């Protein structure tokens, strides 16, 4: 594994406790071989559902990794993929109970050291913002299952709404996909108040686009870590 560490930047930014954490979820806080937050849905439905999700993957995943396509064009396609995935799980009548069952029976696992890291951030009262193009409900359920959904953790993701009977409502919110993951415009006053006086940021991700979670004008005061495996 090739590692690159910007020693000058690392030494310049003495974090102490004067920072917050911004992180992706799938293959960042979770292991590379973990079930994804989208993949949890595949566990609770029949093979026909898996066939359709695989067809979506085969169609859109190569485009996601194609850097010859303009960003504006790719953004539209990634949004199309996300909507198609949400429409599919709505079509198959996802319920809150089925989603919880999927989380409980999945191979959704932390990356080595990630849970311990969240524990330390909680003890030090460091804000942790999880910005994910996945399913927010799954992230929340997973953290609760592992007893680490702390008060210092804030999840910004695609949250599915369920009615009083636990049936999925048609998704009508703004969708978050891999190319529009940015904290700008997504932070409520509670989060802003937590991070307003923090000078530095610690950013984790696996996609190169995850760097955009933090606004570009703040990159000089950001230590970025990208997971390749």
């Amino acid at each position: 594994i090739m590692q690159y560490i910007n020693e000058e930047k690392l030494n310049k930014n003495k974090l102490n406790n004067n920072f917050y954490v911004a992180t992706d979820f799938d293959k960042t806080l979770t292991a590379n071989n973990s079930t994804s937050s989208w993949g949890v849905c595949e566990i609770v439905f029949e093979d026909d559902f898996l066939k359709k999700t695989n067809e979506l993957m085969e169609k859109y995943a190569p485009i996601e990794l194609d850097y010859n396509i303009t960003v504006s064009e790719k953004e539209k396609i990634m949004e199309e993929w996300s909507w198609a995935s949400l429409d599919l799980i709505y079509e198959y009548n996802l319920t809150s109970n089925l989603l919880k069952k999927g989380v409980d029976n999945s191979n959704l696992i932390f990356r080595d050291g990630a849970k311990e890291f969240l524990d330390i951030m909680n003890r030090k009262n460091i804000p942790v913002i999880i910005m994910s193009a996945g399913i927010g409900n799954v992230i929340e359920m997973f953290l609760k299952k592992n007893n680490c959904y702390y008060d210092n953790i804030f999840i910004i993701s695609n949250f599915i709404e369920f009615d009083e009977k636990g049936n999925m409502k048609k998704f009508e919110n703004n969708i978050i996909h891999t190319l529009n993951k940015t904290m700008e415009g997504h932070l409520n006053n509670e989060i802003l108040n937590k991070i307003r006086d923090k000078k530095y940021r610690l950013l984790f991700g696996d996609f190169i686009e995850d760097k955009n979670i933090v606004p570009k004008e703040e990159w000089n005061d950001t230590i970025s870590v990208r997971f390749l495996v």
Side-chain angles (χ1 to χ4, degrees):
I1 301 170
M2 183 180 293
Q3 297 181 343
Y4 170 72
I5 300 175
N6 188 329
E7 295 283 359
E8 181 182 354
K9 187 175 184 181
L10 189 61
N11 292 329
K12 172 188 171 186
N13 295 321
K14 301 297 184 182
L15 297 179
N16 296 317
N17 280 354
N18 192 20
F19 72 99
Y20 67 85
V21 176
T23 179
D24 174 48
F25 181 74
D26 289 313
K27 300 188 186 302
T28 299
L29 289 179
T30 60
N32 194 52
N33 62 338
S34 170
T35 304
S36 71
S37 54
W38 283 103
V40 164
C41 296
E42 297 172 3
I43 296 169
V44 298
F45 294 124
E46 297 177 357
D47 291 343
D48 187 50
F49 177 85
L50 180 58
K51 178 177 178 291
K52 291 182 179 180
T53 56
N54 284 338
E55 288 172 353
L56 291 175
M57 176 73 72
E58 290 171 3
K59 178 181 178 180
Y60 291 106
I63 299 173
E64 183 178 42
L65 300 174
D66 188 344
Y67 290 94
N68 293 313
I69 302 174
T70 64
V71 173
S72 59
E73 182 182 359
K74 192 187 288 190
E75 280 186 348
K76 294 176 183 177
I77 298 171
M78 291 303 98
E79 183 171 346
E80 182 182 296
W81 184 9
S82 298
W83 278 114
S85 298
L86 282 165
D87 287 344
L88 185 60
I89 59 177
Y90 179 77
E91 176 189 337
Y92 274 75
N93 300 316
L94 179 70
T95 66
S96 55
N97 286 336
L98 282 174
L99 193 60
K100 185 178 185 304
K101 179 182 176 182
V103 172
D104 290 339
N105 295 327
S106 71
N107 186 44
L108 190 59
I109 53 175
F110 273 117
R111 180 179 290 277
D112 287 346
K115 185 177 186 299
E116 291 77 6
F117 175 78
L118 294 178
D119 291 339
I120 294 170
M121 293 300 98
N122 176 54
R123 290 200 300 271
K124 292 184 175 294
N125 197 30
I126 302 296
V128 176
I129 301 170
I130 299 175
M131 186 93 189
S132 173
I135 300 177
N137 314 65
V138 171
I139 299 170
E140 183 177 312
M141 289 176 183
F142 175 69
L143 294 178
K144 286 180 177 178
K145 178 183 176 183
N146 286 277
N147 300 312
C148 59
Y149 188 33
Y150 302 120
D151 291 339
N152 67 312
I153 293 177
F154 305 94
I155 303 170
I156 301 172
S157 186
N158 300 304
F159 276 91
I160 295 170
E161 295 182 15
F162 297 95
D163 63 22
E164 64 279 358
K165 294 182 179 179
N167 297 314
M168 179 181 172
K169 294 183 179 180
K170 190 76 171 174
F171 193 88
E172 295 180 348
N173 300 320
N174 292 327
I175 205 148
I176 297 175
H177 53 77
T178 54
L179 290 187
N180 72 348
K181 282 198 300 181
T182 172
M183 294 191 300
E184 291 182 292
H186 286 107
L187 303 187
N188 59 32
N189 288 334
E190 180 185 6
I191 304 174
L192 288 171
N193 289 335
K194 294 284 187 181
I195 68 173
R196 182 170 285 118
D197 297 327
K198 301 294 184 181
K199 179 173 176 56
Y200 303 111
R201 301 122 192 92
L202 188 55
L203 174 64
F204 297 117
D206 65 312
F207 265 79
I208 189 66
E209 288 84 3
D210 287 334
K211 70 182 188 300
N212 296 317
I213 292 175
V214 171
K216 189 173 183 178
E217 59 270 19
E218 298 178 3
W219 285 357
N220 285 337
D221 293 321
T222 301
I223 299 296
S224 302
V225 179
R226 183 183 178 197
F227 296 98
L228 302 179
V229 292

